[in-house]
Amino acid sequence: MSNNSLFRKKNVQQIMAQAQLADANSDTHALSKHLKLRDLIAFGIAAIIGAGIFSTIGTASAQGGPAVIFLFLFTALASGFAAFAYAEFASMVPVAGSAYTYSYVAFGELIAWIIGWALIMEYAVGNITVAISWSDYLTTMLKQIHIEAIGLNGIHIPAWMQMDYLSAANGFQEAKTQLAEGLQFKALGSNLQVAYEAWTSAPRIGSFHLVLDIPALFIIVLITWLVYRGIKESRNASNAMVIIKLAVILLVIAVGVFYIDMKNWSPFAPEGISGVLKGVSAVFFAYIGFDAISTTAEECENPQRDLPRGMMWAIIICTILYIIIALILTGIVPYEQLAVGEPLAFVFEQINKPKMTFIISISAVVAMASVLLVFQMGQPRIWLSMSRDGLLPKRFSKIHPKYKTPSFATIVVGFVVAVPALFMNLTMVTDLCSIGTLFAFVLVCGGVLVLQNKPDVQRGSFKTPYMNAGYVLPYVFIGIITIGILERVALWDSNLQLFDRVYNFLNFHSWSDFGQKIPALIFWLFTIFLTILSVPKKLSLIPTLGLLCCLYMMSEIPLQNWIYFGIWLLIGLVIYFGYSRKNSVLNQVG
């Protein structure tokens, strides 16, 4: 294959030789090895238990009722399938780079660049989201601090220092319009009141209103400093935060279990399977982050043994906790009341437990900080790997001589996250982050399938258990289709003509409506393709199911997020063809 090919690949031997060269030249290229199995599990828990358990679990429970636990099981299963694929690659190629490096081995340079570029978006958007959420939780917690001895009745940060510029500007304009129509200020929504106050009280530079989310900036600077200082410091901070939030979650379970009213669990699935599946995007967002563990491969003492175990144990522990918390939430209050931003705090307010509410607020602040730590730690290591391969400038692969971290990349990542968090309010960040992650999962699972029958590929100590998908997948596909048809037939009006029935089944009322169904159409076409292919190619069942489950969750994300994701990928392709392709290390050899 030509070195100029878009799909030129790196083999395992090349990657490991590069890693060994980095170890030999430790002053400039090597990362320090300090991570053991317990640290990897802690990183996984730190990444997974964050916004999901303190925020999005409420929305998912309100949509699906107590049966949302099955959605957690499905999402955990899908993530587990993907984790098997990650674990196999991590054992095969135990270097920093995660899905980017794995795609380089399985698919070649262009696909590796695309997935690396997607991961940059995933971690950046995810970090911005978490930083803004952390700011909200912190300001809420500070308002709840009451110390009668010194007359302290809450700590109130000025509104212009706790809100992003866009929210303040838009909120002010909307509030101004409503006030002009005769509405009293007290009658405005609380968000509009805060936005109005932030805009009018903010310092000005000329006509520019200086509205900045200072707490978001603070946490990004703090976390970036930790990540810059070293993996040992990051590990210690992560372990401490995980202990705190697990202790609080266990306290929530211990207290909440005595307030469960089993009548609230009936009906268990009030909206049926469709209601449960509505929360798929919100629930999957709760699992984003376990893949970041694989970016620390070069800093593990025994990556081939510990990385697979770390990912699996993190998913299992977090799924058990998610299910128990979901049952407690839906058992204490009726499920339809849980569509709130802070469901844990809300539930304990309903049973008049103000101290628990305050403790939960503290835990939420700690939990969100731990998520930010793992994501902020993962992204520079993706940039490091891409820089080593020549796809990004060499400065991004610079290792600090004392701290043994990708210092330049870490600082740049800090700026990339901090600046937007100060000014922006990204309303669709959850779905954008999810689609980038799912895209990575799909390619990693696909990579295992591509390499499964290649005898010349160097294997690691862990291999995904093999089961022939050709014996299972066709029957599963036929069963799902049959159930879907029977469900549609049951809903049809017997008086409708055949043409009307077909029209309602397709449900394409306009081109816009058809466009919204494109993600689902992609999923079904790919499912048919893999089902047929699984028989002659004897595809491995676990990565095949992982690929299809993740692709299904992608299909549940609205089309507009696919469009934004596509635009991001197009920008990446411009950079690749303008810089990365000609500077690639593989372009320089031979």
Side-chain angles (χ1 to χ4, degrees), residues 224-301:
T224 302
W225 174 77
L226 265 176
V227 173
Y228 182 89
R229 283 296 303 271
I231 191 66
K232 187 183 291 186
E233 288 76 10
S234 300
R235 176 199 65 187
N236 294 341
S238 173
N239 290 348
M241 289 188 281
V242 165
I243 290 172
I244 292 172
K245 66 182 177 182
L246 285 181
V248 171
I249 289 171
L250 293 176
L251 177 63
V252 167
I253 294 171
V255 174
V257 71
F258 294 103
Y259 293 88
I260 291 175
D261 183 354
M262 291 189 181
K263 293 179 181 178
N264 290 327
W265 287 344
S266 181
F268 199 73
E271 302 297 328
I273 189 66
S274 60
V276 173
L277 291 176
K278 284 180 182 178
V280 67
S281 178
V283 168
F284 178 73
F285 188 71
Y287 282 88
I288 286 177
F290 84 83
D291 59 317
I293 301 174
S294 63
T295 66
T296 66
E298 286 186 46
E299 290 147 298
C300 298
E301 292 183 0

Side-chain angles (χ1 to χ4, degrees), residues 307-513:
L307 275 172
R309 296 180 182 181
M311 284 186 274
M312 298 300 178
W313 276 113
I315 291 174
I316 291 170
I317 293 170
C318 293
T319 299
I320 293 172
L321 292 176
Y322 275 135
I323 289 174
I324 295 173
I325 290 294
L327 287 173
I328 287 176
L329 291 180
T330 55
I332 294 178
V333 301
Y335 72 93
E336 61 268 16
Q337 297 181 17
L338 291 171
V340 294
E342 300 175 11
L344 285 182
F346 169 78
V347 163
F348 281 96
E349 284 176 359
Q350 300 305 301
I351 57 176
N352 195 26
K353 295 289 181 182
K355 291 183 179 179
M356 283 296 298
T357 301
F358 181 64
I359 292 172
I360 289 168
S361 296
I362 296 175
S363 180
V365 170
V366 173
M368 302 298 271
S370 69
V371 174
L372 186 61
L373 172 63
V374 177
F375 273 42
Q376 201 73 351
M377 184 178 64
Q379 182 160 334
R381 284 150 181 81
I382 300 292
W383 293 28
L384 166 74
S385 293
M386 297 175 75
S387 174
R388 283 175 175 174
D389 295 329
L391 304 187
L392 289 177
K394 290 184 179 180
R395 290 201 67 183
F396 288 103
S397 58
K398 180 181 178 182
I399 302 297
H400 195 283
K402 179 180 179 181
Y403 302 130
K404 302 299 182 183
T405 58
S407 51
F408 180 76
T410 300
I411 293 172
V412 173
V413 166
F415 277 103
V416 167
V417 177
V419 174
L422 276 175
F423 298 101
M424 297 180 66
N425 180 18
L426 305 177
T427 56
M428 289 174 290
V429 286
T430 300
D431 285 344
L432 271 177
C433 192
S434 295
I435 199 170
T437 306
L438 286 166
F439 184 63
F441 287 6
V442 165
L443 284 183
V444 172
C445 291
V448 171
L449 295 176
V450 168
L451 298 180
Q452 72 170 33
N453 294 321
K454 293 188 176 181
D456 57 332
V457 175
Q458 179 179 322
R459 302 289 175 178
S461 58
F462 179 87
K463 195 173 188 304
T464 303
Y466 176 79
M467 289 177 278
N468 191 337
Y471 294 146
V472 178
L473 201 58
Y475 300 102
V476 172
F477 178 76
I478 293 170
I480 291 173
I481 293 296
T482 302
I483 293 171
I485 291 174
L486 292 176
E487 185 181 27
R488 284 285 184 172
V489 170
L491 294 174
W492 274 342
D493 186 334
S494 59
N495 295 321
L496 290 177
Q497 298 299 314
L498 178 61
F499 177 80
D500 294 327
R501 292 180 180 182
V502 174
Y503 180 78
N504 286 342
F505 179 77
L506 295 175
N507 202 23
F508 298 152
H509 300 297
S510 65
W511 281 110
S512 175
D513 188 52

